[in-house]
Amino acid sequence: EAEVAQSPRYKITEKSQAVAFWCDPISGHATLYWYRQILGQGPELLVQFQDESVVDDSQLPKDRFSAERLKGVDSTLKIQPAELGDSAMYLCASSFGTSGRTGNEQFFGPGTRLTVL
Amino acid sequence: SQQGEEDPQALSIQEGENATMNCSYKTSINNLQWYRQNSGRGLVHLILIRSNEREKHSGRLRVTLDTSKKSSSLLITASRAADTASYFCATDSGGYNKLIFGAGTRLAVHP
């Protein structure tokens, strides 16, 4: 069964360092999402791609976070510099959705647990 | 920002009992989805109900939607220990399939 892949699964870093997370969505899924989930809360969307284009990054702290999906397949989320408040689970999801369509279930990867010391 | 609010925040029941979780939201929606998350793992899609639907079933799951009250409920019948997880509702209110998640209900099913 096809799955969304993420790496690393766990990352410990010191504040002010740079970190990067990688996501490989399910083959054929045009839409890719990065979420941040703080312990005890629901996921919050950081950025959404349709193919290689960003369609929503309204909640992405752009002074320190960046995301790219250069060929419209896999994606990287970067934080530079990391802050203590960035400690969270970072989840990637994908869906078989085209621009403007709604009602598609999202398939989630296992997440990357980030701890900033 | 989170649109959905789940109630209760935590629920503890015995195996075989039914579990009911509620979700309220603020703005009009295209559809509402329920997801399950086992501890420290990714989310798994359970069921999607569109704004023009009132009830939907999938196995032991029953979801209702009342758009006039802006609320939904998830019923799990004959709960099993393996149902122990957090359950989230998520609303889709616009284009591009953007979901806004609630804070979730933590369900514990005891053998």
Side-chain angles (χ1 to χ4, degrees):
Chain A
E1 184 175 313
E3 295 181 341
V4 176
Q6 287 188 250
S7 67
R9 291 292 309 277
Y10 304 91
K11 180 69 177 179
I12 300 174
T13 191
E14 294 185 346
K15 63 180 181 179
S16 79
Q17 295 298 304
V19 293
F21 313 129
W22 177 79
C23 172
D24 191 12
I26 292 173
S27 178
H29 280 192
T31 312
L32 185 147
Y33 316 79
W34 283 102
Y35 290 89
R36 177 172 58 190
Q37 184 179 23
I38 296 170
L39 191 64
Q41 298 184 18
E44 177 187 30
L45 181 70
L46 292 175
V47 62
Q48 179 177 344
F49 290 91
Q50 184 65 39
D51 298 310
E52 66 276 6
S53 300
V54 173
V55 296
D56 191 324
D57 63 356
S58 56
Q59 300 301 312
L60 187 72
K62 299 180 186 64
D63 57 336
R64 298 185 300 107
F65 285 64
S66 64
E68 61 183 15
R69 194 185 183 197
L70 292 177
K71 297 183 179 179
V73 181
D74 59 340
S75 176
T76 302
L77 177 70
K78 297 179 181 177
I79 308 175
Q80 183 174 16
E83 296 180 352
L84 296 177
D86 296 332
S87 294
M89 175 80 89
Y90 289 83
L91 295 162
C92 179
S94 68
S95 69
F96 185 68
T98 56
S99 177
R101 286 182 56 188
T102 64
N104 298 297
E105 68 176 280
Q106 295 184 17
F107 295 81
F108 283 79
T112 296
R113 170 77 64 189
L114 173 66
T115 301
V116 182
L117 303 176
Chain B
S1 63
Q2 298 189 321
Q3 166 165 236
E5 291 187 5
E6 283 92 340
D7 171 55
Q9 292 184 348
L11 182 61
S12 181
I13 60 174
Q14 298 296 125
E15 263 191 331
E17 294 181 342
N18 295 340
T20 300
M21 289 159 266
N22 303 296
C23 169
S24 60
Y25 57 92
K26 299 174 184 174
T27 63
S28 61
I29 61 172
N30 296 319
N31 66 77
L32 184 145
Q33 303 180 31
W34 285 90
Y35 287 79
R36 183 188 74 221
Q37 185 178 36
N38 290 87
S39 181
R41 307 292 296 275
L43 282 74
V44 175
H45 181 267
L46 295 176
I47 199 163
L48 179 154
I49 186 165
R50 302 190 189 281
S51 60
N52 61 350
E53 297 176 313
R54 292 296 169 258
E55 187 171 313
K56 212 163 181 184
H57 297 257
S58 177
R60 295 185 294 114
L61 305 181
R62 172 178 166 250
V63 168
T64 61
L65 179 65
D66 187 335
T67 54
S68 67
K69 296 181 179 178
K70 292 186 170 59
S71 67
S72 174
S73 67
L74 171 67
L75 168 67
I76 304 174
T77 59
S79 296
R80 306 166 181 168
D83 294 328
T84 295
S86 291
Y87 292 82
F88 296 90
C89 69
T91 53
D92 177 351
S93 299
Y96 303 115
N97 201 40
K98 176 179 180 178
L99 294 180
I100 299 177
F101 286 83
T105 293
R106 295 185 305 280
L107 173 66
V109 181
H110 303 283

